[in-house]
Amino acid sequence: MGDSTLPAELEERVAFYEDPANDPGGFTSNDWTLLVATGVLLPLVCLVLGWFVGWSS
Amino acid sequence: MSTDHLSPESASEGETSWPLLPRERLWNRRALFIVLMVAASATWCYIIGEYVGYYLPLWPGFLAMTAGAMIGMLLVTLSVVPVSTRFGVDSIKAAVPQFGHNGWTITVTLQYLSIIGWNSLLLIFFGKSAAEFLNAIGIGGDSLSDVVVPVAAVLALAFVFVILMRGATGLERVAMWLFFFIVGVGAWMIIMLLVREGTALADAVPGFASDKQLDFQYGIEIGLVSLLSWWPYIGSMTREARSPSIAAGPSMLGMGLPVPVLSFVGLSSILVLGTSDPASWLTDVGGNFFGALALLFVMAANLGTATAGIYASTVGIKAVPALGKIPWNMALLLSVVPVAFVGIFLTDWFFDNFGTFLAYIGVFFAPIVGIQIVDYYLLRRQRISVRGLYVGGPDAPYSYWFGFNPAALLAMAAGVGTYLYLLNPQTYAVREPFSLLGASLPAALVAAVVFAVLTLVVVKPSGKGGYVEATAGSSKVTAG
């Protein structure tokens, strides 16, 4: 790290990923659906249930 | 581009911070799910549940904790997983675009301290469980626990060391073995508590309950900060998967959800039994045979998590320039020794101050995820220069000024200040609007806004940070 010249093997690994064909890209729309469902909707449901339903005292 | 000619030693080099190639990244969704779940499922869940149980009854506590945990997991997933899976790098490398080439001084330090803390806790629990297990099968007694706890901790660390001499392969194999153990006995503990203590649980009143909204927010916050602490862990494991799509589900459901589910055990037991440590109640509630069996689970689960933690920490250490070329086993030793020291010599001190440790996790990791998310998705539009992660020099995209990005440093300071204003990590005293927003989310948001403003006003106009290249879609930048 910090050098402008990379070791040969690291150079090849970096060059491999610089080829756009080897970049798998970001999250797909299905991934985003899963992320929103589990990271946004599920917490919202838990919060509503916890606040309005779960309290017995 | 073919990489077939690269040396057979690539697998060992893969343990460094260099990008892993697709042929070295063999974990599918199932394998990653199991490894992440085993990494997340450990005795710390019980103490997380215990802290929630100080403020909330069973179901509100469980639901608030689950909500916070899944929000925290979403933030960690969004900040680390895309870069780590696209290029086969760990959490430390994934943060280089935001923090700069010398930013590792911040991220590796936080990773190191965080993992030492969590694994010390696991070792303490492991030792206690081992002592109680020996009691349950009629060997030893209370007088021996002072000896058994440190000896068990040392043996556990030696086991982890041997496993990880094989690198990620060792981690995957031990995870496969532990998976069914963890799921089975974890479910048994939850059912046993509900069946045998159901009535008492329904009537249990938390020890520190005060204001409903404030207590509810404590539950959310504890769940959230607990999952933010996966930031240093997750990249070293998701880099073994070939794309973000493979890692998204395992991350949220394998690493996120098991924490609140297992924390249910700690939450229940603190409410009705007065302690969250399964080692001290499993034999009383489950009898000697089942209690001893469950204690074996506790020990096994801790071993799995400690293995993942030490592995992540070792990969992080290899990202430090001065340590990048030391042998893997030496780096492994650097990860293990501090954990052994805290776990053996500072046992009671660390155990008694766990809540403070937990809050400090949020202090630092909340701003980091805020900065990474706003930078990766909004400012860079998911474009990262993989070469920029490794090359230095004044013209390198992530060199910034002297290797540090002042926007990230000031944003970190603003986020940390926001958190400390809202929640005192030592006393848990709060200032408003904590009861409405908590502390981690505002800290992440403030850090993100400060970072974005400074980047747009100062960094980008100065031609630093590779933002011009990213916007122009240079050939040296890959698009997500």
Side-chain angles (χ1 to χ4, degrees):
Chain A
M1 193 190 297
D3 297 328
S4 54
T5 307
L6 301 176
E9 184 172 342
L10 176 57
E11 171 61 40
E12 295 199 39
R13 286 166 183 265
V14 165
F16 175 82
Y17 283 113
E18 283 184 325
D19 181 349
N22 295 325
D23 183 350
F27 291 124
T28 64
S29 56
N30 282 345
D31 300 332
W32 281 110
T33 303
L34 175 79
L35 291 170
V36 170
T38 55
V40 179
L41 298 180
L42 176 62
L44 280 176
V45 170
C46 288
L47 290 178
V48 171
L49 282 177
W51 184 260
F52 291 106
V53 182
W55 228 283
S56 58
S57 57
Chain B
M1 170 186 173
S2 169
T3 56
D4 292 344
H5 62 288
L6 291 180
S7 68
E9 289 75 23
S10 295
S12 62
E13 291 295 354
E15 308 300 353
T16 70
S17 58
W18 292 1
L20 295 182
L21 294 169
R23 65 180 167 80
E24 297 163 338
R25 304 160 71 191
L26 302 177
W27 292 3
N28 56 19
R29 238 181 227 107
R30 177 174 157 273
L32 186 63
F33 180 90
I34 288 175
V35 171
L36 292 178
M37 202 207 79
V38 169
S41 306
T43 326
W44 53 43
C45 296
Y46 308 137
I47 201 165
I48 291 167
E50 172 185 329
Y51 273 76
V52 174
Y54 288 152
Y55 302 100
L56 291 167
L58 184 66
W59 292 111
F62 174 67
L63 291 165
M65 183 168 58
T66 303
M70 296 311 289
I71 294 169
M73 197 67 238
L74 177 67
L75 295 176
V76 171
T77 302
L78 291 178
S79 60
V80 178
V81 168
V83 177
S84 80
T85 50
R86 283 171 65 188
F87 306 122
V89 297
D90 73 331
S91 303
I92 303 299
K93 274 293 172 199
V96 166
Q98 293 81 40
F99 286 84
H101 276 137
N102 291 328
W104 60 265
T105 48
I106 299 168
T107 50
V108 171
T109 303
L110 290 175
Q111 179 191 52
Y112 199 54
L113 293 176
S114 161
I115 292 180
I116 286 173
W118 282 114
N119 284 288
S120 300
L121 183 76
L122 293 184
L123 275 188
I124 295 165
F125 270 124
F126 182 88
K128 287 184 171 192
S129 302
E132 200 61 39
F133 174 74
L134 291 177
N135 270 340
I137 60 173
I139 302 173
D142 291 340
S143 58
L144 273 184
S145 67
D146 287 346
V147 179
V148 170
V149 173
V151 169
V154 169
L155 288 177
L157 277 175
F159 176 79
V160 169
F161 186 91
V162 171
I163 290 288
L164 287 179
M165 286 171 71
R166 295 172 59 93
T169 308
L171 178 62
E172 184 189 9
R173 289 193 178 171
V174 78
M176 294 294 179
W177 279 101
L178 291 173
F179 176 73
F180 295 103
F181 216 0
I182 289 171
V183 170
V185 185
W188 175 75
M189 286 164 74
I190 290 173
I191 292 167
M192 187 179 66
L193 276 166
L194 282 175
V195 170
R196 299 187 65 148
E197 306 289 342
T199 310
L201 274 171
D203 300 332
V205 178
F208 299 155
S210 55
D211 174 72
K212 179 179 174 181
Q213 186 171 341
L214 177 61
D215 293 340
F216 201 57
Q217 193 57 251
Y218 274 133
I220 298 168
E221 184 67 23
I222 290 170
L224 208 161
V225 295
S226 302
L227 273 288
L228 286 181
S229 62
W230 291 151
W231 185 93
Y233 280 75
I234 193 169
S236 64
M237 290 173 271
T238 52
R239 73 192 294 226
E240 303 283 342
R242 290 183 181 179
S243 75
S245 283
I246 292 175
S251 172
M252 294 302 295
L253 300 175
M255 199 170 210
L257 203 54
V259 174
V261 171
L262 268 186
S263 297
F264 187 92
V265 175
L267 174 60
S268 308
S269 54
I270 192 70
L271 285 170
V272 294
L273 302 170
T275 175
S276 68
D277 180 6
S280 57
W281 57 260
L282 272 173
T283 49
D284 293 339
V285 177
N288 266 9
F289 176 75
F290 286 112
L293 197 66
L295 283 166
L296 275 180
F297 148 73
V298 170
M299 293 160 69
N302 283 356
L303 269 184
T305 309
T307 307
I310 299 287
Y311 175 73
S313 179
T314 309
V315 173
I317 284 174
K318 297 281 282 181
V320 176
L323 302 175
K325 291 183 179 173
I326 64 171
W328 170 254
N329 287 350
M330 182 61 72
L332 199 51
L333 206 58
L334 288 176
S335 296
V336 164
V337 169
V339 176
F341 182 81
V342 177
I344 293 168
F345 297 110
L346 302 175
T347 310
D348 292 334
W349 175 83
F350 186 78
F351 208 73
D352 294 342
N353 290 286
F354 175 76
T356 302
F357 168 73
L358 198 59
Y360 272 113
I361 294 283
V363 170
F364 293 107
F365 288 122
I368 287 180
V369 297
I371 289 168
Q372 283 191 285
I373 289 170
V374 76
D375 186 60
Y376 181 73
Y377 294 97
L378 294 182
L379 300 174
R380 295 186 190 280
R381 304 284 178 185
Q382 304 185 51
R383 292 170 186 268
I384 295 289
S385 165
V386 64
R387 180 173 298 277
L389 300 180
Y390 294 93
V391 296
D395 297 328
Y398 306 137
S399 284
Y400 295 101
W401 288 272
F402 306 107
F404 289 99
N405 180 5
L409 299 181
L410 290 169
M412 274 294 286
V416 168
T418 302
Y419 192 102
L420 294 176
Y421 173 81
L422 292 168
L423 174 65
N424 183 326
Q426 288 178 318
T427 64
Y428 273 52
V430 302
R431 288 194 182 96
E432 291 306 331
F434 177 87
S435 60
L436 189 65
L437 300 173
S440 293
L441 285 180
L445 184 64
V446 167
V449 170
V450 170
F451 183 87
V453 169
L454 288 175
T455 299
L456 293 174
V457 173
V458 179
V459 178
K460 195 172 173 181
S462 305
K464 305 284 186 182
Y467 291 100
V468 177
E469 277 187 339
T471 308
S474 153
S475 61
K476 290 189 176 182
V477 181
T478 48

